[in-house]
Amino acid sequence: MATFTDLPSARRFDETTHARLMHEAKEASSIEQAWLYPEAAHVVRQLHIKPDLQTHAHMLGLAWRTRERSEAAGQVLRLALVPLGHLSGRLPLGNPGRSTVSAFEPLPVRPDLADLIAQARTGETPAA
């Protein structure tokens, strides 16, 4: 399990990048994009409890709107686990936060998410 000491650069929270990714999630033109942006935002905000909760709440709302019951259940579980993970300092770094992956497994950041994060950091308009 990854801990706070595994990725010191991740301790800095880039609020602007997170906000851009969440804005794009809300403006997405497809369901696929609507999921990709909060996944990228999840990676960016991983070590900070308030945006972590906000991102999972957004994912829960998206799962509810798209009638993805298993995803909604997974997000409810993750919302319950967020405080525990933050209190213990044991967070699955790089994990995109979806119910399709373990809530406990650290993962390498997927290339598609890394690209979205890089675009958001530079303020580039994402590709449609």
Side-chain angles (χ1 to χ4, degrees):
M1 177 68 64
T3 63
F4 285 119
T5 59
D6 293 330
L7 192 58
S9 64
R11 290 182 193 216
R12 287 177 279 122
F13 175 50
D14 184 348
E15 186 173 350
T16 301
T17 298
H18 183 263
R20 285 178 180 151
L21 290 166
M22 292 307 292
H23 172 76
E24 292 298 330
K26 294 171 186 167
E27 300 294 319
S29 60
S30 70
I31 296 299
E32 180 181 295
Q33 282 188 339
W35 280 112
L36 286 176
Y37 285 104
E39 285 181 294
H42 185 268
V43 170
V44 168
R45 66 82 214 121
Q46 191 114 25
L47 296 177
H48 304 275
I49 192 167
K50 185 177 177 182
D52 193 1
L53 289 166
Q54 290 170 335
T55 303
H56 282 295
H58 175 85
M59 289 182 177
L60 174 59
L62 181 57
W64 183 263
R65 286 188 303 278
T66 58
R67 302 181 195 275
E68 297 179 49
R69 288 188 177 114
S70 63
E71 184 67 44
Q75 292 307 319
V76 168
L77 173 65
R78 281 157 178 77
L79 281 164
L81 291 173
V82 165
L84 296 173
H86 284 273
L87 285 172
S88 69
R90 297 177 55 86
L91 299 166
L93 299 180
N95 188 306
R98 296 281 306 272
S99 69
T100 55
V101 298
S102 169
F104 306 102
E105 184 177 356
L107 298 167
V109 178
R110 293 191 334 243
D112 57 342
L113 300 182
D115 289 345
L116 289 177
I117 292 166
Q119 288 174 356
R121 281 196 174 127
T122 62
E124 289 179 33
T125 303

